[in-house]
Amino acid sequence: MALKGGLFLPMYQRGAMWIRLDSNGQFAIKVIVGGVNVISGGPLVETSATQLRRLNLFLRNESVQDYVVTPDQLWLDGIASTEGRVRQFVAMPIGAGYTVEAQLTGEDISGGLQFEVTPARAPPKTLDSQHLIEELFIRTLTKVVHLTHLSASDTVAQLKKSESPASILRRELPRSYGGPNIPQAKELGIAAAGYIKQCILRDPNPADTWQRDRTICFNVQILNSAVFRHVTSMDPPETPISAATYASERLPFFDIYNEISDIKGSFEEVKSIKEMDKIKYAERRGHPREEDDEDEPKYKNPIVVLNSQGVKTGFRPVFELETELASMNAVPF
């Protein structure tokens, strides 16, 4: 877990998740689950097959966009399976064969989520805005709140090196967190559930809008409740109410109008958890074996040190991709 770095969050097995997106300025965000792009279905590292798929999409007048743009895209509910619909993000154990990564690559190695964030070019700052003093409230894991000050020109690296935040966090974290007695890590990956209506909004910006030399990436590991409790000494959040309870209380559902876009990925081979449950049950009934499907996988997963400080694939705006593909003068095949 420490080798992979990044952030972590607790989830329960078969718990659903959505990603809220909010920003003051424009950002292009690639969301990746276990090394698979949730918009395109392509691998984290581009291959010749990725380029060929992109060319075929372009020749069919379909979108080649593989990222979302904030603040216009308010949230993301799942993998972009069809036009105007996504399959909901759901947490499942790595090694059980349910995750999107396992179904598309045949392996469960990376797990969790990865994000690549590229900022838009901001207007020049005025002298006043550069020297504006802001108040920053820092809440530690022990729920102690501290106040520090910074200017709009300060960077995250400068904040980490400052006296108050880093020393506060070091002082407040009890030494009992983590340690050698941590239970066997049960990291979760992202699988696909049922369909939800959602549109992926097209990027309307020209290619030079984005500062590709400032792309950052980070990992988010998903831990089960037992590991989360041991690492943080805090109880994980309670499980959300069921759909039946929600309906019985006559709570409202919500909708938002969007023009249906053609942005979708290659997820034809990805089965939902319900479909995978049926397959697993048939396998057990037709081919009895001592090991249960929920046991540890027969192969040993290597530790993958994900790059948490640099660019993974290099961001390429959809406008640039379409211009490049048009210049090839290829014909459909």
Side-chain angles (χ1 to χ4, degrees):
M1 190 174 102
L3 287 176
K4 287 185 179 181
L7 311 174
F8 62 86
L9 61 86
M11 288 189 70
Y12 292 91
Q13 182 173 320
R14 296 178 182 261
M17 176 188 72
W18 67 291
I19 301 172
R20 178 185 175 185
L21 303 170
D22 188 16
S23 63
N24 292 327
Q26 278 196 318
F27 291 86
I29 303 176
K30 285 187 180 181
V31 182
I32 298 146
V33 293
V36 178
N37 188 299
V38 304
I39 305 299
S40 69
L44 182 64
V45 180
E46 291 190 4
T47 64
S48 57
T50 307
Q51 297 170 350
L52 181 60
R53 173 189 173 274
R54 185 180 291 151
L55 178 60
N56 284 329
L57 288 173
F58 179 77
L59 294 174
R60 296 197 300 265
N61 293 318
E62 297 180 17
S63 176
V64 295
Q65 182 174 320
D66 61 355
Y67 56 92
V68 296
V69 177
T70 64
D72 294 336
Q73 190 80 46
L74 300 177
W75 67 80
L76 191 59
D77 285 316
I79 61 174
S81 298
T82 63
E83 295 179 1
R85 295 197 303 173
V86 300
R87 280 197 162 190
Q88 190 174 28
F89 296 129
V90 175
M92 287 295 286
I94 287 179
Y98 281 80
T99 67
V100 174
E101 178 184 12
Q103 293 190 54
L104 290 184
T105 70
E107 298 180 304
D108 252 343
I109 295 177
S110 298
L113 301 107
Q114 300 84 44
F115 293 85
E116 293 185 9
V117 183
T118 302
R121 299 187 186 280
K125 293 181 179 179
T126 65
L127 183 64
D128 290 340
S129 67
Q130 289 179 351
H131 292 82
L132 179 65
I133 301 300
E134 301 279 356
E135 292 185 341
L136 177 66
F137 292 90
I138 299 176
R139 184 178 184 182
T140 68
L141 291 176
T142 54
K143 300 183 179 180
V144 178
V145 178
H146 298 271
L147 172 66
T148 187
H149 295 84
L150 70 160
S151 69
S153 60
D154 288 338
T155 65
V156 174
Q158 290 171 328
L159 180 61
K160 288 181 177 179
K161 291 179 181 178
S162 66
E163 173 63 21
S164 51
S167 59
I168 287 169
L169 291 176
R170 281 196 294 269
R171 287 198 304 267
E172 297 295 342
L173 288 177
R175 296 182 181 274
S176 60
Y177 288 6
N181 296 322
I182 187 169
Q184 187 175 8
K186 295 293 185 181
E187 188 177 354
L188 302 176
I190 295 297
Y195 287 105
I196 297 178
K197 185 175 73 171
Q198 184 178 31
C199 293
I200 307 302
L201 303 181
R202 178 178 171 83
D203 176 13
N205 300 291
D208 61 0
T209 299
W210 305 107
Q211 300 185 71
R212 282 175 278 178
D213 59 337
R214 294 189 59 195
T215 298
I216 63 170
C217 52
F218 60 93
N219 309 312
V220 177
Q221 300 179 66
I222 306 173
L223 307 181
N224 70 4
S225 56
V227 175
F228 178 83
R229 183 179 291 108
H230 190 93
V231 170
T232 66
S233 293
M234 297 189 301
D235 289 331
E238 295 182 359
T239 56
I241 63 174
S242 66
T245 302
Y246 192 94
S248 67
E249 296 296 322
R250 303 183 66 82
L251 297 172
F253 288 93
F254 64 93
D255 193 6
I256 185 169
Y257 176 77
N258 285 131
E259 294 287 348
I260 294 180
S261 71
D262 63 346
I263 301 174
K264 59 183 176 63
S266 298
F267 295 106
E268 295 83 4
E269 298 180 10
V270 175
K271 295 178 175 59
S272 69
I273 290 179
K274 184 176 181 180
E275 292 169 329
M276 288 298 300
D277 283 342
K278 292 180 180 179
I279 293 173
K280 298 287 185 180
Y281 176 79
E283 288 177 352
R284 285 196 293 267
R285 187 174 61 177
H287 305 278
R289 54 177 179 263
E290 294 181 3
E291 298 85 8
D292 186 82
D293 292 311
E294 299 297 330
D295 290 341
E296 292 292 328
K298 296 180 181 179
Y299 57 87
K300 183 178 180 181
N301 287 354
I303 297 297
V304 179
V305 183
L306 298 175
N307 182 3
S308 61
Q309 298 181 348
V311 180
K312 293 211 186 310
T313 60
F315 174 73
R316 301 191 66 192
V318 63
F319 184 85
E320 178 183 290
L321 291 175
E322 291 174 343
T323 302
E324 177 185 287
L325 294 169
S327 67
M328 294 181 180
N329 296 321
V331 296
F333 57 89

